[in-house]
């Protein structure tokens, strides 16, 4: 799989280097058009996601019915996992497990979060670069790059259908331009009566109950993160009990495109060696400070996760 991802990265680099242009303003407009198309058109999209450990085939349907987004995602592998969106409720169905619903604005499982990102929120921290035109199969595509301004986070290359403005391919790259994950569309059907009828029927089906979490009113921690990459803000915090004498305090952060959490527990076995691990977009970095174990988990390069973990400050 690593060899395959390297080939993808080389191919993407050739496209960009051979067809680059300098119109940054055009890239901004195209990015907004892609998000608008993904969230408002009626379509069926078959695609595959590639990561170092998995290849996942997916069918995704989307439409706006009576002013409300209705979507259906089915993993076309042995799991047959299904996710349905009706308005601001996302419902999950998987054989062998109880179905449940969560509040949410979009189905993000298997879909790159960049499709639903607010441009105005992330533009201070990323450069949007028009990288010219190419073809994927018989479809002409426009290419844009989204590059972190401070190298503290990952980058994207987007290949967007010139006609529909829907994505054809999305590559997630590290700071060495190595491909970490890829989203590749196999086929897209617009305004299909079959798809619209299917989603209309689905919109009338009762969904499973909303999963209710115990209310946890912003707990106070005796620690804080000293260094955050520009644009990242705390979005939530929680305390979870792991055992009778052990709890984990967690704070979640996001810049509107990527997310990560900082988790702190007490060490019962003394200092541990630093433990870095990365799988695709997901990095895990663990270290100890005195009797505290700090773990950073999320969509960050490992060096950034290490700096964040090392910046955690404790109060007596």
């Amino acid at each position: 799989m690593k060899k395959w991802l390297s080939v993808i990265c080389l191919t993407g680099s050739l496209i960009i280097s051979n067809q680059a242009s300098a119109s940054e303003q055009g890239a901004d407009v195209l990015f907004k058009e892609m998000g608008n198309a993904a969230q408002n058109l009626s379509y069926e999209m078959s695609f595959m996601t590639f990561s170092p450990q998995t290849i996942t085939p997916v069918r995704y349907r989307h439409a706006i019915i009576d002013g409300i987004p209705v979507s259906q995602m089915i993993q076309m592998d042995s799991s047959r996992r299904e996710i349905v969106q009706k308005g601001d409720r996302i419902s999950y169905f998987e054989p062998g497990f109880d179905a449940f619903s969560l509040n949410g604005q979009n189905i993000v499982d298997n879909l790159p979060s960049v499709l639903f990102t607010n441009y105005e929120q992330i533009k201070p921290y990323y450069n949007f670069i028009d990288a010219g035109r190419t073809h994927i199969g018989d479809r002409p595509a426009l290419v844009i790059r989204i590059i972190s301004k401070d190298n503290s986070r990952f980058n994207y290359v987007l290949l967007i259908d010139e006609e529909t403005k829907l994505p054809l391919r999305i590559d997630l790259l590290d700071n060495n331009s190595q491909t970490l994950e890829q989203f590749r569309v196999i086929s897209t059907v617009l305004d299909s009566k079959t798809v619209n009828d299917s989603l209309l029927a689905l919109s009338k089906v009762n969904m499973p109950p909303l999963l209710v979490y115990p209310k946890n009113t912003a707990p106070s921690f005796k620690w804080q993160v000293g260094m955050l990459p520009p644009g990242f803000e705390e979005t939530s915090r929680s305390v979870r009990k792991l055992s009778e004498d052990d709890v984990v305090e967690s704070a979640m952060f996001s810049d509107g495109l990527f997310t990560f959490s900082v988790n702190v527990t007490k060490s019962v076995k003394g200092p541990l060696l630093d433990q870095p691990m990365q799988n695709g977009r997901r990095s895990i970095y663990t270290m100890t400070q005195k009797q505290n174990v700090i773990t950073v988990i999320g969509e960050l390069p490992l060096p950034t996760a290490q700096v964040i973990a090392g910046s955690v400050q404790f109060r007596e």
Side-chain angles (χ1 to χ4, degrees):
M1 179 62 71
K2 288 184 178 179
K3 181 179 179 181
W4 189 90
L5 288 174
S6 297
V7 172
I8 289 175
C9 179
L10 177 60
T11 303
S13 298
L14 288 173
I15 289 172
I16 293 164
S17 62
N18 288 336
Q19 305 195 34
S21 74
S23 173
E24 187 168 341
Q25 182 178 3
D28 299 349
V29 173
L30 182 57
F31 178 78
K32 295 175 187 177
E33 289 177 337
M34 179 194 68
N36 183 64
Q39 297 176 58
N40 291 291
L41 291 182
S42 172
Y43 60 94
E44 177 181 286
M45 179 185 292
S46 296
F47 63 88
M48 301 187 75
T49 61
F50 300 86
S51 68
Q53 302 297 327
T54 60
I55 300 176
T56 306
V58 179
R59 187 190 74 192
Y60 177 69
R61 291 174 167 177
H62 178 272
I64 302 296
I65 297 176
D66 295 330
I68 296 174
V70 178
S71 304
Q72 180 192 45
M73 176 181 288
I74 298 179
Q75 286 187 201
M76 307 302 286
D77 54 16
S78 58
S79 72
R80 297 296 294 178
R81 187 184 189 213
E82 180 178 358
I83 307 172
V84 174
Q85 176 185 6
K86 288 174 59 178
D88 61 357
R89 181 167 293 194
I90 314 294
S91 301
Y92 292 80
F93 306 86
E94 190 166 356
F97 297 92
D98 292 335
F100 63 92
S101 298
L102 297 173
N103 286 323
Q105 297 301 313
N106 304 285
I107 298 175
V108 294
D109 306 66
N110 295 312
L111 286 171
S113 60
V114 70
L115 289 176
F116 310 108
T117 298
N118 183 328
Y119 168 75
E120 298 298 332
Q121 182 178 356
I122 69 171
K123 73 174 182 178
Y125 316 109
Y126 297 87
N127 290 315
F128 290 75
I129 302 170
D130 182 340
R133 301 174 72 250
T134 186
H135 279 77
I136 294 187
D138 62 350
R139 302 296 298 181
L142 301 171
V143 185
I144 61 176
R145 301 177 67 191
I146 304 175
I147 307 297
S148 169
K149 290 183 177 180
D150 61 3
N151 293 323
S152 66
R153 47 206 120 189
F154 297 130
N155 308 306
Y156 274 108
V157 176
L158 313 179
L159 283 77
I160 301 167
D161 190 294
E162 190 169 354
E163 179 183 351
T164 67
K165 300 302 186 291
L166 289 169
L168 292 172
R169 198 180 92 191
I170 298 177
D171 295 347
L172 179 71
L173 309 178
D174 65 14
N175 290 325
N176 295 316
S177 295
Q178 296 296 308
T179 302
L180 300 173
E181 293 181 0
Q182 186 185 89
F183 164 93
R184 180 182 285 265
V185 174
I186 307 302
S187 65
T188 301
V189 179
L190 288 178
D191 298 318
S192 164
K193 185 177 185 303
T194 301
V195 172
N196 290 339
D197 289 347
S198 172
L199 292 178
L200 178 61
L202 192 62
S203 70
K204 299 176 181 178
V205 174
N206 291 328
M207 291 294 114
L210 191 66
L211 192 63
V212 179
Y213 289 99
K215 290 186 177 180
N216 193 347
T217 56
S220 177
F221 298 155
K222 292 185 177 181
W223 55 269
Q224 63 183 16
V225 179
M227 198 295 296
L228 289 172
F232 277 94
E233 297 181 355
E234 184 175 320
T235 59
S236 65
R237 58 172 53 191
S238 63
V239 176
R240 300 188 305 277
K241 198 168 186 177
L242 300 179
S243 65
E244 194 65 33
D245 302 315
D246 194 14
V247 298
V248 56
E249 299 176 340
S250 301
M252 185 72 70
F253 300 86
S254 176
D255 70 345
L257 184 55
F258 297 111
T259 61
F260 69 90
S261 65
V262 178
N263 308 273
V264 175
T265 60
K266 291 294 183 182
S267 172
V268 295
K269 298 181 181 180
L272 302 173
L273 295 176
D274 292 1
Q275 299 178 40
M277 184 179 75
Q278 184 168 337
N279 181 25
R281 70 171 56 231
R282 190 76 58 189
S283 295
I284 302 176
Y285 187 88
T286 299
M287 63 174 293
T288 58
Q289 269 196 52
K290 298 181 180 179
Q291 295 302 310
N292 300 292
V293 179
I294 303 164
T295 304
V296 176
I297 304 173
E299 302 164 329
L300 290 171
L302 269 175
T304 305
Q306 180 179 5
V307 170
I308 292 171
S311 76
V312 173
Q313 302 166 350
F314 291 87
R315 299 187 301 272
E316 296 298 333

